[in-house]
Amino acid sequence: MLPQAPSPRHILRTHGSSITAVHLSDEKRNGNPNERLYTGDADGIVVITDTVTLRPLTVWKAHEKGILGVEEWRTLVITHGRDNKLHFWTLSTNDNTIGVSAAQQDIPLPVIVESLDVNALNFCRFSLLDCGEDKEGGNAECLIALPNLVDSALVDIWRMPGCKRLQAAIGKAGGDHLSIGSSGEKRSGIVMALHLMRIDTATGCHMRVLVGYENGMVVFWSRAWDETPSIEGMGWEGLWNCRPHNDAVMCMAVSPKGDLAFTVSADSLVARISLDDDNGAGEPTLQSRMSTHQTKHPGNGSLAIRSDGRVCAIGGWDGKIRLYSTKSLKGLGTLIYHKGACNALAFAHSNGNDTERGNYPSLRYNKEEKEEGNNVISRWLAAGGMDHRVTLWELMSFERGESKH
């Protein structure tokens, strides 16, 4: 029997329009994960909230149109808007502002340090890959995957900082198997979801992009890791493709280990896709690589995977958040609060005290446990909806439920 679903631990009302993006900070900025909650809305407003005091640290209009994505990268914040812009922002480094409400202190607003013109027709947010420090000056670099500037069915990869397009028009070459008909028209439609990753195999290092398309197709593109720029998608190969949905892929999430991907759509299916290569038993077949689960709840628009890779959260157009085991896709419970669609989800990062199997403390806690700080926050699931509100849920481990699988 499933435990009774909890109410939100906290409800934030810091936005005046639909929440479209949610992100929790990782440990790369100062070694402490989950210190800041980033939320963006349909008016282009971004709010940074202190997760201890729950007070907004900074509120600013980052874009002229709605926010597609927001993410912290080292000492910078990246925002992606419907105004066809991607901005890199620098924040105040004054530690005295931490825990102080933005309304109580004149905190300097974030400043743009670099901008990139992008194609936001797709409603597809960027995908970030941290590359570490460069070989020359020790400066941090990252790769950003985005829909192509001209053709929304293709993908570009940019090196940042510097705004250098490293790979252009991924999908144009090496994608003959994606065409149908005598005219050879692309059947995939525009790009709807992206995930950029680096994979080390026995044959070397590879750059790979998992892409979800408008027609419900998912394609895994691969290229040998090479610093030489390419155009027209040259050098890229479609390793495999599958079509788990008949409608557009609305959201896609990849597990922290990079071995599994999940997709949702307007239909009632959630797809579980293996990203593993040949493990010695031969190349996986399409049937063994992909499985779909009938949720009986059509209309899903957001998706997140917990940091231990064991729990998947799906946000529905009905405002409900449904939790599933990533291993079996067995339902673990439903979180009910939002009125209108749940547009964005994000799990907190593990604080390092949890075991590899995700031994999160129980949802039941006493007064003394309320002071455990980061241990509590590491169990959070943040959600944003069309009702302008952000909810923070404290989840149990589901360890008993998992042991039955």
Side-chain angles (χ1 to χ4, degrees), residues 331-400:
L332 300 176
T334 302
L335 307 177
I336 302 175
Y337 175 81
H338 290 283
K339 297 178 181 179
C342 178
N343 296 326
L345 291 168
F347 278 102
H349 305 278
S350 169
N351 62 9
N353 295 327
D354 309 317
T355 67
E356 184 178 355
R357 292 182 58 82
N359 188 20
Y360 291 71
S362 171
L363 176 64
R364 300 177 180 177
Y365 52 86
N366 53 37
K367 294 182 179 179
E368 289 75 21
E369 289 177 311
K370 290 183 179 180
E371 303 299 325
E372 63 182 334
N374 287 338
N375 290 333
V376 170
I377 297 174
S378 69
R379 302 196 297 270
W380 280 5
L381 170 66
M386 288 190 68
D387 54 7
H388 308 179
R389 297 179 181 180
V390 177
T391 52
L392 301 174
W393 306 79
E394 185 181 340
L395 303 183
M396 62 188 298
S397 67
F398 300 107
E399 192 69 24
R400 290 184 179 181

Side-chain angles (χ1 to χ4, degrees), residues 199-218:
I199 302 294
D200 293 317
T201 68
T203 59
C205 182
H206 296 266
M207 187 182 303
R208 292 187 177 174
V209 187
L210 187 67
V211 185
Y213 291 94
E214 187 180 16
N215 74 333
M217 181 179 291
V218 177

Side-chain angles (χ1 to χ4, degrees), residues 215-294:
N215 74 333
M217 181 179 291
V218 177
V219 182
F220 204 24
W221 296 98
S222 179
R223 185 183 193 274
W225 192 279
D226 190 348
E227 299 295 327
T228 303
S230 72
I231 60 173
E232 302 295 315
M234 300 302 296
W236 286 87
E237 173 191 7
L239 295 181
W240 50 259
N241 69 91
C242 59
R243 192 180 181 187
H245 307 282
N246 290 323
D247 297 302
V249 175
M250 298 303 298
C251 192
M252 179 172 65
V254 174
S255 64
K257 291 184 178 180
D259 58 341
L260 287 174
F262 294 82
T263 62
V264 293
S265 180
D267 58 28
S268 56
L269 299 176
V270 53
R272 180 183 187 272
I273 306 172
S274 171
L275 303 182
D276 284 338
D277 286 330
D278 184 358
N279 56 7
E283 181 69 23
T285 63
L286 181 60
Q287 290 75 17
S288 65
R289 183 180 295 282
M290 184 194 75
S291 62
T292 58
H293 174 71
Q294 176 59 254

Side-chain angles (χ1 to χ4, degrees), residues 66-145:
I67 302 296
L68 290 175
V70 57
E71 188 168 341
E72 184 180 274
W73 177 60
R74 297 183 179 256
T75 60
L76 301 176
V77 176
I78 305 173
T79 61
H80 184 191
R82 286 280 295 149
D83 57 358
N84 299 307
K85 295 288 185 181
L86 185 136
H87 297 314
F88 282 68
W89 305 81
T90 182
L91 302 177
S92 170
T93 57
N94 183 4
D95 293 336
N96 294 329
T97 62
I98 299 299
V100 178
S101 171
Q104 295 176 330
Q105 182 169 326
D106 186 17
I107 302 175
L109 294 178
V111 177
I112 295 178
V113 295
E114 196 159 23
S115 290
L116 181 67
D117 291 327
V118 300
N119 174 11
L121 172 68
N122 308 43
F123 285 86
C124 174
R125 65 151 287 169
F126 69 95
S127 178
L128 169 73
L129 177 63
D130 192 328
C131 298
E133 283 72 31
D134 62 20
K135 299 179 180 179
E136 298 177 357
N139 298 317
E141 292 184 333
C142 68
L143 298 180
I144 300 283

